[in-house]
Amino acid sequence: MNKIAIQLSGQIRYWDKSYNDWFELKSSLKKEGFDVDLHICGWEDEYTRKLNYDIFTTSNLIPINKDIIIENSKENGNWSRKQQPISLLPYSYLQYWGSRYRRLYQKENNVQYDFVMVARPDLWFKCDIVEFLQKKKQEIIESKCTIFIPHGVTNSVGYKPHHPSRLCNDFMCLGTEESVNLYCNGFLHSYLQDSKSFMSTNHTYPAMTCMKTNLLTKSINTPMKLRREDDSIM
């Protein structure tokens, strides 16, 4: 039996749907022989304080830091994408703290994971992710210093001059416990350094963080989307 963690980090929204998605995924993985711990770390506001997190091994809400995000949450927990000062700073901040809380739980309970999935709380898989993990688990476990990113990394230098240089999906990633721990410290490399030589933006953060931390990247094919009020593709 493989011991794995699913670490949800980011803005919690449309929880009436997303909660059921994660409940069903945890149940399905258990039926296939996985021992799964769910962890969640999101922003604390009026919406998230009322939510049910009973399926999670750990749940932590971070007080909103007005220096890195504008609080404009609606009742359904849907925030504007006009986040300041840099689009993915709030997301990476929660990945950082989510990883710290997960590791604290592991230390206190002497728990180790074969691999870890880091995902946005509003992620919705449009594929059989359980079958995918069954087929891919050994490769993930044996791939040291590697982060698996949906659809890989696109180097757009030269042929997409108006786009970021290293485009990639920022919805989800997979890796060994050691790889993901290093990856989740990317917030420190991205935003807490004086030279300003490394500032990631939308859809570049995973690739740029892996480059900065000497992590390899591998492409995986896992169709997915983000939950929205009308379930339109985002």
Side-chain angles (χ1 to χ4, degrees):
M1 178 178 290
N2 293 109
K3 179 73 171 176
I4 68 172
I6 298 177
Q7 176 189 316
L8 305 186
S9 304
Q11 182 182 341
I12 302 170
R13 49 191 165 190
Y14 306 112
W15 201 235
D16 57 324
K17 298 177 181 178
S18 295
Y19 174 91
N20 293 327
D21 292 337
W22 296 113
F23 176 84
E24 291 173 6
L25 177 56
K26 182 177 182 180
S27 299
S28 298
L29 286 168
K30 185 177 180 180
K31 290 177 182 178
E32 292 299 318
F34 288 94
D35 184 3
V36 187
D37 285 340
L38 293 181
H39 304 272
I40 189 167
C41 183
W43 295 113
E44 181 181 13
D45 60 17
E46 291 185 7
Y47 175 76
T48 59
R49 281 193 291 266
K50 300 174 183 177
L51 302 178
N52 179 15
Y53 306 107
D54 63 353
I55 62 171
F56 289 87
T57 305
T58 66
S59 59
N60 293 278
L61 298 177
I62 306 298
I64 295 172
N65 185 333
K66 295 298 180 64
D67 291 333
I68 64 174
I69 192 168
I70 297 174
E71 183 179 9
N72 58 355
S73 176
K74 301 176 184 177
E75 290 184 359
N76 61 3
N78 187 23
W79 286 359
S80 166
R81 293 178 67 87
K82 296 179 180 178
Q83 300 162 329
Q84 298 295 333
I86 303 170
S87 297
L88 280 194
L89 191 154
Y91 179 41
S92 62
Y93 186 76
L94 289 177
Q95 283 187 345
Y96 169 73
W97 280 105
S99 174
R100 288 194 63 173
Y101 282 121
R102 170 179 54 76
R103 285 180 281 143
L104 179 61
Y105 165 80
Q106 291 183 243
K107 182 178 180 180
E108 292 176 344
N109 295 275
N110 193 27
V111 172
Q112 292 184 321
Y113 296 116
D114 293 310
F115 63 87
V116 179
M117 175 192 294
V118 178
R120 293 174 55 154
D122 54 353
L123 182 63
W124 182 15
F125 289 106
K126 302 297 290 179
C127 63
D128 189 341
I129 189 64
V130 177
E131 180 182 5
F132 169 83
L133 292 176
Q134 279 283 25
K135 292 180 178 179
K136 209 75 174 175
K137 62 184 180 182
Q138 202 57 40
E139 181 182 353
I140 298 171
I141 293 169
E142 294 175 356
S143 297
K144 308 303 181 184
C145 300
T146 301
I147 294 294
F148 291 76
I149 299 175
H151 316 302
V153 178
T154 300
N155 188 343
S156 63
V157 174
Y159 72 96
K160 287 188 177 181
H162 301 297
H163 285 69
S165 60
R166 293 177 63 80
L167 290 168
C168 60
N169 183 295
D170 55 30
F171 294 174
M172 182 273 282
C173 68
L174 291 157
T176 63
E177 181 183 315
E178 295 80 6
S179 299
V180 170
N181 290 346
L182 185 59
Y183 172 79
C184 288
N185 280 338
F187 168 77
L188 305 175
H189 295 290
S190 296
Y191 304 109
L192 301 185
Q193 45 88 34
D194 295 330
S195 69
K196 307 299 181 185
S197 62
F198 176 65
M199 306 297 278
S200 61
T201 58
N202 269 341
H203 309 303
T204 69
Y205 177 79
M208 297 293 281
T209 297
C210 289
M211 182 176 68
K212 189 72 173 181
T213 53
N214 292 319
L215 286 165
L216 302 173
T217 60
K218 284 189 176 182
S219 175
I220 52 177
N221 182 21
T222 49
M224 62 186 73
K225 61 188 261 189
L226 299 180
R227 282 285 187 187
R228 290 297 179 263
E229 191 167 7
D230 60 354
D231 283 339
S232 60
I233 295 177
M234 179 74 178

